[in-house]
């Protein structure tokens, strides 16, 4: 009997039925074996959610236009504001460690020991980039903020946190809100949310047939939402993203903790410099005058200006430029999967070198830069820079119609302000996953949430199987080398 279009396959559902206790723990690696799942699994529609957020009929939502105007961030003023918050973060740390001290001077802040959350991670950073390591060891900080900002981070929250925060617009969130009956303690809402997820997923698993298939038409409204939220959470499990654009209801982020490879191959080099397909332009996300307002996904671009006129005419990168790039980054090249969008485009190069020709600061005062790949290749070849001073991101997350702000409002992402050393450090084979490192640096409830997630992960015994296809070179990104310890526990 042929499957209807409303059916989809959830990998490992038989195993899921037997081990449903594990459902609230997120697997660290999403396997790719079932095309049917990704093709038909429900996905959240951020536009409709945004409309729901500001629906005048929603009695629970306070529509205050004045408050929204007050939350606008002037990026030109962020430089001094970041410095202030850095001192504020140190001051809070000082008060946490010594309640007897009621006053912290500027001079004492400069010499105060920085909070350390992973000596092993610090040792790896020292071996990769001594200069950045010194900056990290003497000045790393992070704390949660209300709204995303360019140069800051957004971290994907666990499903339990999402349900707890989203009690106004989620059926399950409202159910959790009723179960809590006014309780707001972290341990209480986390474990009750975890139990709610387990019960609902067990209910869904019980509808699977012998082949592990579920007819979506048999799911009630609650189960359908649970499955949608669960799969959406799996797609972005414990992502830590750098915000590179955020203005006029449009935002772009790149995922910091999804390494594609550490060794450069011919295919990866072509992907980084030229994008997945032949090019029709010599513009790149690394260029100062690059404009990606064009929604034509077939308009592929090349990294900086590394193509000769003849090669542009033919649609392929200049072989000489490829050789130079591979020579410069042959021993070490940090390439990351920045997100599902624009994977056919050249990689975005992020670094912390202010005077690199062709580079521009992503936001005033952030001291984080993008672009300048020509100068980067030249500098590495001449020994002026180390290959690991640069990070290359293939793809990104693109948000329109304030979708990133909606995701924050719904509890999916937590915006975080941080020292640039935390955003610039490499994330390859980290003993402590970056997500936990960031959460622990923030401390407070986020630090406690990290501890709960680690304890839940200890009991994890299965993987959810899902597949997203990408028609890149030689089969796509799924065939590229992957060395990220963040992907598995």
């Amino acid at each position: 009997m042929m499957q209807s279009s409303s059916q989809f396959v959830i990998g490992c559902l038989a195993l899921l039925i037997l081990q449903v206790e594990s459902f609230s723990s997120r697997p660290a690696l999403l396997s790719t074996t079932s095309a049917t799942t990704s093709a038909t699994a429900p996905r959240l529609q951020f536009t409709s959610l945004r409309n729901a957020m500001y629906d005048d009929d929603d009695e629970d939502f306070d529509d205050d236009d004045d408050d929204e105007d007050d939350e606008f961030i002037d990026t030109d003023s962020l430089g001094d504001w970041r410095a202030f918050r850095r001192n504020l973060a140190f001051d809070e740390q000082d008060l946490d460690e010594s309640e007897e001290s009621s006053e912290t001077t500027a001079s004492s802040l400069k010499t105060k020991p920085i909070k350390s959350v992973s000596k092993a991670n610090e040792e790896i950073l020292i071996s990769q980039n001594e200069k950045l390591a010194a900056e990290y060891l003497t000045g790393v900080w992070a704390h949660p903020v209300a709204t995303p900002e360019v140069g800051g981070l957004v971290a994907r929250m666990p499903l339990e946190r999402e349900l707890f925060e989203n009690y106004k617009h989620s059926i399950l969130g409202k159910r959790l809100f009723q179960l809590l009956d006014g309780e707001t303690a972290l341990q209480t809402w986390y474990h009750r949310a975890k139990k709610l997820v387990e019960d609902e997923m067990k209910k869904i698993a019980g509808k699977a047939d012998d082949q592990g298939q579920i007819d979506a038409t048999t799911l009630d409204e609650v189960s359908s939402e649970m499955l949608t939220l669960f799969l959406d959470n799996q797609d972005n499990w414990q992502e830590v993203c750098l915000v590179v654009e955020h203005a006029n209801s449009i935002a772009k982020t790149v995922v910091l903790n999804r390494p594609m490879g550490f060794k450069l191959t011919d295919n990866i080099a072509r992907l980084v410099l030229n994008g997945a397909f032949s090019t029709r332009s010599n513009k790149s996300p690394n260029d100062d005058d690059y404009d990606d307002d064009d929604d034509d996904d077939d308009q592929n671009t090349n990294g900086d200006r590394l193509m000769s006129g003849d090669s542009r005419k033919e649609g392929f990168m200049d072989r000489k430029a490829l050789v130079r790039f591979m020579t410069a980054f042959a021993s070490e090249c940090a390439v990351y999967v920045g997100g599902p969008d624009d994977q056919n485009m050249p990689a975005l190069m992020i670094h912390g070198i202010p005077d690199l020709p062709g580079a521009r600061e992503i936001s005033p005062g952030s001291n984080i830069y993008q672009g300048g790949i020509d100068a980067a290749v030249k500098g590495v070849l001449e020994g002026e820079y180390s290959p690991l001073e640069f990070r290359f991101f293939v793809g990104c997350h693109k948000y329109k119609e304030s979708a990133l702000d909606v995701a924050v409002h719904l509890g999916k992402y937590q915006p975080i302000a941080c020292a640039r050393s935390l955003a610039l450090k490499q994330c390859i084979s980290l003993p402590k996953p970056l997500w936990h490192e960031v959460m622990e640096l923030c401390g407070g409830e986020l630090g406690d949430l990290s501890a709960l997630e680690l304890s839940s992960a200890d009991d994890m015994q299965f993987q959810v199987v899902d597949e997203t296809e990408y028609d890149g070179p030689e089969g796509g990104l799924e065939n590229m080398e992957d060395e990220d310890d963040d992907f598995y526990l």
Side-chain angles (χ1 to χ4, degrees):
M1 179 177 180
M2 295 182 61
Q3 289 183 324
S4 67
S5 60
S6 63
Q7 291 181 320
F8 56 89
V9 178
I10 301 179
C12 298
L13 261 173
L15 181 59
L16 209 154
I17 296 173
L18 298 176
Q19 301 182 356
V20 69
E21 305 85 22
S22 304
F23 255 109
S24 63
S25 300
R26 242 71 56 223
L29 172 63
L30 303 182
S31 302
T32 56
T33 58
S34 171
T36 313
T37 301
S38 62
T40 58
R43 291 288 184 259
L44 293 178
Q45 299 298 319
F46 281 116
T47 301
S48 61
L49 287 172
R50 180 175 183 271
N51 293 336
M53 284 175 57
Y54 302 103
D55 190 344
D56 292 337
D57 295 332
D58 186 355
E59 297 179 358
D60 294 330
F61 183 73
D62 295 328
D63 188 5
D64 191 340
D65 293 336
D66 293 337
D67 290 343
E68 291 179 16
D69 293 338
D70 291 340
E71 293 179 357
F72 173 75
I73 297 177
D74 180 7
T75 57
D76 291 337
S77 66
L78 285 180
D80 292 339
W81 179 235
R82 286 191 179 94
F84 168 78
R85 287 185 306 188
R86 173 185 181 276
N87 290 343
L88 179 63
F90 286 178
D91 196 17
E92 290 174 348
Q93 179 184 333
D94 181 70
L95 291 175
D96 289 340
E97 295 178 357
S98 178
E99 294 182 355
E100 297 178 358
S101 174
S102 60
E103 187 174 315
T104 305
T105 65
S107 59
S108 66
L109 288 173
K110 293 179 181 179
T111 59
K112 180 169 180 58
I114 303 303
K115 181 178 181 180
S116 176
V117 298
S118 177
K119 294 295 184 184
N121 281 16
E122 292 168 4
E123 290 298 325
I124 288 180
L125 178 56
I126 292 172
S127 68
Q128 294 173 340
N129 189 333
E130 290 186 0
K131 184 177 180 180
L132 187 64
E135 185 177 324
Y136 180 97
L137 294 173
T138 58
V140 68
W141 59 272
H143 66 81
V145 292
T147 58
E149 60 189 45
V150 179
L153 309 176
V154 287
R156 187 61 159 99
M157 290 290 99
L159 184 54
E160 292 82 3
R161 165 74 179 268
E162 182 179 342
L163 293 178
F164 177 69
E165 295 287 345
N166 191 18
Y167 62 90
K168 291 183 179 180
H169 308 288
S170 164
I171 300 173
L172 289 161
K174 291 178 180 178
R175 180 175 295 183
L176 176 62
F177 183 79
Q178 294 170 351
L179 290 173
L180 291 173
D181 192 25
E183 289 283 347
T184 58
L186 172 61
Q187 292 275 352
T188 302
W189 65 251
Y190 180 87
H191 289 295
R192 289 189 182 177
K194 179 179 179 181
K195 182 65 164 57
L196 178 61
V197 172
E198 290 175 355
D199 291 344
E200 289 301 322
M201 294 306 297
K202 182 176 180 180
K203 179 180 174 182
I204 294 172
K207 296 182 178 294
D209 59 22
D210 294 338
Q211 285 73 44
Q213 298 177 4
I214 294 177
D215 185 348
T217 62
T218 65
L219 298 179
D220 58 26
E221 189 176 19
V222 175
S223 295
S224 179
E225 182 188 83
M226 179 73 262
L227 189 59
T228 299
L229 293 174
F230 184 85
L231 293 175
D232 178 71
N233 189 269
Q234 294 296 314
D235 285 345
N236 308 306
W237 184 79
Q238 289 191 357
E239 281 185 347
V240 178
C241 305
L242 173 66
V243 182
V244 295
E245 293 179 18
H246 188 234
N248 302 322
S249 76
I250 297 175
K252 183 167 79 171
T253 68
V254 290
V255 185
L256 298 177
N257 55 334
R258 293 295 186 264
M260 182 193 304
F262 193 52
K263 299 295 184 182
L264 197 62
T265 66
D266 185 83
N267 283 334
I268 293 181
R270 291 178 180 276
L271 185 65
V272 168
L273 290 181
N274 205 40
F277 309 107
S278 61
T279 64
R280 300 173 188 172
S281 169
N282 67 335
K283 293 290 185 181
S284 158
N286 298 305
D287 286 338
D288 287 337
D289 56 350
Y290 173 72
D291 181 6
D292 69 347
D293 289 339
D294 190 352
D295 291 330
D296 184 5
D297 291 336
D298 293 330
Q299 181 71 24
N300 302 312
T301 62
N302 180 61
D304 279 10
R305 294 178 175 83
L306 291 175
M307 293 178 62
S308 66
D310 290 340
S311 58
R312 284 202 303 273
K313 186 182 299 183
E314 297 172 2
F316 293 98
M317 82 166 57
D318 181 14
R319 182 66 185 177
K320 181 179 179 180
L322 174 65
V323 171
R324 281 177 56 82
F325 178 74
M326 293 192 66
T327 302
F329 291 90
S331 59
E332 297 172 313
C333 187
V335 183
Y336 297 79
V337 180
D341 302 317
D342 287 348
Q343 289 186 348
N344 61 321
M345 302 283 285
L348 177 66
M349 188 180 76
I350 297 292
H351 57 89
I353 304 173
D355 56 351
L356 187 72
R360 66 179 179 88
E361 196 172 19
I362 64 174
S363 177
S366 66
N367 292 319
I368 299 174
Y369 303 86
Q370 71 176 54
I373 191 170
D374 285 337
V377 170
K378 182 176 183 291
V380 172
L381 288 174
E382 294 177 354
E384 184 178 358
Y385 308 124
S386 164
L388 292 184
E389 291 185 64
F390 305 94
R391 306 180 74 178
F392 298 92
F393 296 92
V394 177
C396 64
H397 283 292
K398 295 179 72 173
Y399 300 90
K400 297 181 179 180
E401 298 184 348
S402 301
L404 180 58
D405 300 282
V406 173
V408 170
H409 181 84
L410 298 182
K412 296 177 180 297
Y413 285 93
Q414 172 62 58
I416 295 170
C418 69
R420 73 160 196 162
S421 57
L422 187 59
L424 291 175
K425 69 192 293 284
Q426 298 292 349
C427 182
I428 298 175
S429 300
L430 294 179
K432 173 170 288 186
L434 181 66
W435 189 88
H436 291 283
E437 181 178 349
V438 172
M439 295 298 106
E440 292 179 26
L441 282 170
C442 289
E445 184 175 277
L446 293 181
D448 295 337
L449 185 60
S450 171
L452 286 171
E453 284 288 284
L454 283 173
S455 64
S456 297
D458 290 339
D459 300 327
M460 188 175 61
Q461 300 177 10
F462 73 100
Q463 290 183 338
V464 171
V465 178
D466 193 7
E467 178 175 349
T468 54
E469 292 195 359
Y470 168 72
D471 297 326
E474 298 293 329
L477 299 185
E478 67 270 16
N479 289 334
M480 298 298 185
E481 183 181 0
D482 183 355
E483 299 183 13
D484 184 19
D485 276 358
D486 279 0
F487 274 67
Y488 42 83
L489 298 173

